[in-house]
Amino acid sequence: MARSFQPTVRRLRFILWICIAIAASGVTALLIGPEFRSPPSSLQNARSLIKARFALIDQQHRPVTEKSFSGKWLLVFFGFTNCPDVCPTALGMVSRVMDLLGTKSPKLKPLFVTLDPDRDTAEVLDEYVSVFASSIVGLTGTPMQIKEAAKSFRVYYARVTQDEAPDGYGIDHSALLYLIGPDGKFVAHFLHQQTPEEVAKAIEERMAE
Ligand code: NI
């Protein structure tokens, strides 16, 4: 049975601060993921650390891996559909980026990988991502598959008790968008607070290189 969700102003302020803290620690989280011991000193190191591999299922329950999108640029974001703020902001930005890319948009495939596979089934993701853009592919899997995918991208996430959240929990997570090249290699990351114009321009520049 769904719990009623009646956030107080104080609660919302708390959530906002959590989002700000997560955003601020996004880059740090990238570098100090669970398996990480000595932070990379350069983008080249980040490239060697972020493997961008996954074996998940899409909204139609089809098994997909990074190879399923071979030859495409990928813009990958990890989150969960009950996220109050960061994920909707990021996906809204992605949607706008796709609009801005115009005729170049078919070269880019945005992926939204859930960090909450217990709730975010293929059906839930299908409904959620379609709110933002029809081009976004929602990916889920078993908890172990999600863990492996997150580890491959060096994404930090943790289930946290939040009494007033739906089902009494939320997911703390790093909030970077990862740009992966057509060769499957990590190219760059963006922050969810960046403007769609900035991100679209950066992607276009990379595509032109
Ligand atoms: Ni989120």
Side-chain angles (χ1 to χ4, degrees):
M1 196 171 84
R3 282 193 188 189
S4 66
F5 183 47
Q6 297 176 315
T8 62
V9 170
R10 197 172 151 213
R11 183 77 203 165
L12 281 173
R13 197 174 292 152
F14 176 69
I15 289 168
L16 179 65
W17 275 112
I18 291 283
C19 288
I20 290 168
I22 289 168
S25 67
V27 175
T28 313
L30 169 76
L31 305 181
I32 55 164
E35 313 307 317
F36 204 78
R37 292 296 172 261
S38 61
S41 56
S42 68
L43 186 60
Q44 193 160 11
N45 280 346
R47 279 180 186 152
S48 67
L49 284 167
I50 295 171
K51 301 295 181 203
R53 292 194 190 118
F54 54 86
L56 300 164
I57 60 161
D58 70 10
Q59 295 133 268
Q60 281 74 45
H61 297 266
R62 290 177 297 219
V64 293
T65 71
E66 71 284 353
K67 293 189 180 68
S68 311
F69 304 99
S70 181
K72 291 243 184 202
W73 292 78
L74 300 179
L75 188 59
V76 188
F77 188 75
F78 288 73
F80 66 115
T81 66
N82 279 282
C83 182
D85 177 281
V86 173
C87 295
T89 303
L91 293 183
M93 188 260 267
V94 168
S95 168
R96 184 78 188 112
V97 165
M98 294 305 280
D99 289 344
L100 289 167
L101 286 175
T103 56
K104 296 189 189 94
S105 65
K107 292 161 79 175
L108 180 71
K109 189 47 97 177
L111 307 181
F112 177 66
V113 183
T114 184
L115 296 169
D116 186 13
D118 290 348
R119 287 187 294 195
D120 292 343
T121 60
E123 290 75 17
V124 169
L125 282 173
D126 191 34
E127 197 174 333
Y128 186 71
V129 296
S130 67
V131 170
F132 298 95
S134 58
S135 55
I136 301 174
V137 174
L139 298 175
T140 186
T142 65
M144 185 52 74
Q145 286 174 318
I146 298 297
K147 190 177 166 187
E148 289 296 323
K151 191 172 150 189
S152 182
F153 280 81
R154 303 252 149 196
V155 165
Y156 159 81
Y157 70 111
R159 186 163 157 156
V160 288
T161 301
Q162 290 173 348
D163 291 341
E164 286 149 26
D167 307 312
Y169 76 93
I171 311 276
D172 278 350
H173 63 96
S174 49
L176 296 177
L177 290 128
Y178 302 86
L179 181 66
I180 309 298
D183 58 357
K185 296 210 168 96
F186 169 80
V187 174
H189 68 258
F190 306 108
L191 302 176
H192 73 281
Q193 310 97 318
Q194 282 181 259
T195 68
E197 288 76 14
E198 276 172 359
V199 174
K201 184 164 175 276
I203 292 173
E204 280 185 313
E205 283 170 3
R206 298 298 181 146
M207 284 177 169
E209 275 170 16

